[in-house]
Amino acid sequence: MGRSPCCEKAHTNKGAWTKEEDDRLTAYIKAHGEGCWRSLPKAAGLLRCGKSCRLRWINYLRPDLKRGNFSEEEDELIIKLHSLLGNKWSLIAGRLPGRTDNEIKNYWNTHIRRKLLSRGIDPVSHRPTNEHVSNVTISFEAAREEKGSMFRLDEPKPAIGHDPVDWGQGKPLKCPDLNLDLCISPPFQEDPMKPVKREAGVGVCFSCSLGLPRSSECKCSNFLGLRTAMLDFRSLEMK
DNA sequence: AAGTAATGCAACCGCCTAGGT
DNA sequence: GACCTAGGCGGTTGCATTACT
């Protein structure tokens, strides 16, 4: 059994909005403000789903929207933000006043993707498409979105420069997105001819190397079994 | 001029999450 | 903690327009 639909589909219009519907929605929101999208259609006399009203208002009817072509600066900012945030269109839109997530998403898919590909850049990874080295990008994006993280990207955009380091109202960010342009190489060995000597507290037991829960006898100092099992940071070369 | 393919974009769909009970 | 609801988001679709043959 699935969720109940967000509205009564049998009695709702679908497809393109008419001028009259736009006028009704605009007039209602101007009079009563945004909010309670579920009940809005009925109150405004619209045969539309609440979600549809919200989308129409946010994407096309809001008075603060900037219509028209994207500038070169906006292009570059979108590319930069996408390289940091990925497909977080709403967050990207939050940094571009007057632009909506839907508009940016469409613009990305129709223009910027092609632009990057023509430059020989992969629009997903933002790396040259002919790059053969296996790269690892370590991002704190996921952690950042959690409560209590060092800073939040969904804060209102300060009227400072476009560089992410400026987003903290001029204060240096404690943890900007970490993109070390790392690549994986064989594990570090001071002298490849010497056998590796593991000191107490440095080596890992078998279970830790597999990432299994630590046993009571375990004296490993590894971090989630990553020290030698997966990520010996000494072996991550800075490019 | 007509037919077809490519493109752009508005709108929808389904999932996720936060907040309330 | 479980459940429900509304709002929000990203992916996808479908239609109108434009470009090409």
Side-chain angles (χ1 to χ4, degrees):
Chain A
M1 198 176 82
R3 303 162 60 97
S4 59
C6 69
C7 52
E8 183 55 64
K9 297 202 178 210
H11 302 103
T12 55
N13 290 341
K14 289 179 79 171
W17 280 64
T18 63
K19 178 80 172 58
E20 190 192 341
E21 285 176 314
D22 281 350
D23 291 344
R24 275 178 184 268
L25 181 58
T26 306
Y28 183 86
I29 291 176
K30 276 183 179 166
H32 302 92
E34 291 181 44
C36 202
W37 295 108
R38 195 180 174 90
S39 59
L40 184 148
K42 196 174 179 183
L46 288 162
L47 294 174
R48 289 276 179 176
C49 161
K51 277 187 172 188
S52 183
C53 295
R54 176 185 159 271
L55 204 67
R56 184 67 183 170
W57 172 253
I58 288 175
N59 286 336
Y60 302 99
L61 299 176
R62 253 168 47 196
D64 57 328
L65 289 181
K66 186 201 288 182
R67 310 302 303 204
N69 294 339
F70 283 75
S71 66
E72 195 59 35
E73 291 74 36
E74 285 177 309
D75 271 23
E76 294 306 318
L77 180 56
I78 292 168
I79 292 167
K80 194 171 184 177
L81 289 169
H82 187 272
S83 72
L84 290 168
L85 302 169
N87 294 358
K88 300 285 181 189
W89 305 116
S90 59
L91 286 179
I92 294 172
R95 307 287 156 188
L96 284 133
R99 301 294 187 183
T100 70
D101 53 355
N102 205 37
E103 190 179 15
I104 293 170
K105 178 172 61 182
N106 283 333
Y107 187 66
W108 175 271
N109 288 326
T110 55
H111 294 87
I112 300 183
R113 268 174 59 88
R114 210 171 304 149
K115 185 174 172 177
L116 290 178
L117 286 170
S118 72
R119 288 182 189 173
I121 297 170
D122 177 37
V124 177
S125 65
H126 293 266
R127 297 181 185 287
T129 50
N130 58 356
E131 203 171 57
H132 298 299
V133 181
S134 301
N135 289 313
V136 176
T137 297
I138 298 175
S139 170
F140 289 99
E141 173 56 24
R144 180 188 302 143
E145 289 182 3
E146 290 180 23
K147 285 178 186 165
S149 59
M150 293 184 183
F151 72 99
R152 296 172 58 85
L153 280 171
D154 52 356
E155 289 167 357
K157 182 184 181 185
I160 310 175
H162 286 153
D163 194 294
V165 293
D166 284 337
W167 297 349
Q169 303 275 8
K171 289 177 281 184
L173 296 171
K174 291 182 184 172
C175 183
D177 192 89
L178 179 61
N179 183 347
L180 296 173
D181 269 350
L182 303 170
C183 67
I184 294 172
S185 67
F188 171 85
Q189 250 183 281
E190 299 218 2
D191 180 349
M193 300 307 287
K194 276 192 209 167
V196 178
K197 183 182 170 189
R198 296 283 179 204
E199 293 166 14
V202 174
V204 290
C205 66
F206 180 67
S207 60
C208 282
S209 72
L210 294 175
L212 299 171
R214 299 175 68 174
S215 65
S216 56
E217 304 92 322
C218 175
K219 295 184 177 61
C220 299
S221 60
N222 68 321
F223 173 61
L224 296 174
L226 293 176
R227 183 189 287 276
T228 58
M230 301 301 283
L231 282 174
D232 182 337
F233 285 99
R234 290 170 303 182
S235 70
L236 294 169
E237 295 172 357
M238 295 284 280
K239 287 207 299 187

